[in-house]
């Protein structure tokens, strides 16, 4: 008798991660990380259909960026300053920590993706970051006023660590 259960693959995992990115909640990044972690675990346990790619990583980075925006939006309600114009220094220290943590996670995910790309046989293009990947991370780091991190992202982009699509 055949097993007819539906099993997740790279596309289904990436779709769920992207849904978290679109959910625009302060927990978007945490939820996306949970799914990416499950995906990685299944792949490392031998399920080659769950091999993460740049799409999955970029979606997770977008989820962290969405978490930054949602966190800032939640504190700017009722304030005279809108989330779009609120500067980092205008945020409470708790919110600053949350923004920094999400921006740092974006940077960490980008670095992990770049390492996987360089370690893949023949530099597998499915692991190569796109211009969108770099844009998401750079914007998150700029929102956290992490100039050093943003500079690193620009250097990676200039070094050709980008797949133009």
């Amino acid at each position: 008798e055949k097993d007819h259960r539906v099993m997740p693959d790279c596309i289904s995992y990436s779709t769920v991660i992207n849904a978290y990115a679109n959910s625009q909640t302060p927990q978007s990044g945490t939820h996306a990380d949970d799914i990416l972690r499950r995906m990685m675990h299944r792949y490392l346990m031998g399920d080659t259909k769950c091999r993460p790619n740049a799409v999955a990583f970029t979606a997770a980075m977008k989820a962290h960026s969405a978490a930054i925006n949602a966190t800032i939006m939640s504190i700017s309600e009722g304030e005279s300053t809108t989330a779009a114009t609120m500067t980092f220094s205008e945020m409470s220290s708790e919110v600053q920590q949350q923004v920094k943590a999400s921006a740092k996670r974006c940077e960490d995910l980008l670095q992990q993706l770049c390492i996987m790309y360089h370690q893949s046989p023949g530099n597998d293009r499915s692991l190569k970051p796109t211009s969108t990947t770099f844009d998401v991370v750079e914007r998150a780091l700029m929102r956290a006023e992490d100039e050093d991190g943003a500079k690193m992202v620009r250097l990676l982009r200039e070094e050709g660590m980008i797949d133009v699509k």
Side-chain angles (χ1 to χ4, degrees):
E1 197 172 306
K2 285 188 174 184
D3 184 1
H4 295 287
R5 289 182 288 172
V6 175
M7 300 301 289
D9 61 9
C10 180
I11 294 170
S12 58
Y13 275 120
S14 296
T15 301
V16 173
I17 294 169
N18 197 53
Y20 280 121
N22 291 329
S23 72
Q24 300 288 319
T25 68
Q27 297 79 28
S28 297
T30 303
H31 293 310
D33 277 347
D34 290 342
I35 301 302
L36 185 61
R37 200 171 293 112
R38 280 190 222 162
M39 183 181 189
M40 288 290 289
H41 175 76
R42 287 187 61 93
Y43 174 67
L44 293 172
M45 295 305 292
D47 189 346
T48 57
K49 292 178 185 173
C50 294
R51 182 173 169 267
N53 59 19
V55 172
F57 274 89
T58 302
M61 292 173 218
K62 284 181 179 180
H64 281 282
S65 181
I68 290 170
N69 294 336
T71 299
I72 295 169
M73 289 289 288
S74 69
I75 59 137
S76 68
E77 291 174 4
E79 305 254 342
S80 59
T81 309
T82 65
T85 60
M86 183 176 281
T87 65
F88 191 71
S89 61
E90 292 175 313
M91 299 174 200
S92 70
S93 61
E94 181 182 336
V95 171
Q96 286 179 354
Q97 283 181 317
Q98 291 173 347
V99 169
K100 281 183 179 182
S102 287
K104 176 71 172 127
R105 183 64 181 141
C106 284
E107 182 181 17
D108 292 345
L109 287 167
L110 176 61
Q111 289 176 357
Q112 186 178 356
L113 179 60
C114 289
I115 289 168
M116 289 173 63
Y117 171 70
H118 282 299
Q119 290 178 346
S120 66
N123 289 341
D124 182 348
R125 292 184 65 78
S126 74
L127 292 168
K128 192 168 187 180
T130 66
S131 58
T132 300
T133 308
F134 285 96
D135 290 344
V136 167
V137 178
E138 187 173 359
R139 277 193 307 270
L141 291 166
M142 293 301 292
R143 197 69 170 122
E145 293 188 356
D146 183 347
E147 292 293 329
D148 291 338
K151 183 178 179 181
M152 183 276 305
V153 171
R154 286 190 294 274
L155 288 172
L156 281 174
R157 184 189 300 254
E158 289 168 11
E159 288 176 12
M161 186 61 212
I162 188 168
D163 194 12
V164 180
K165 286 190 176 179

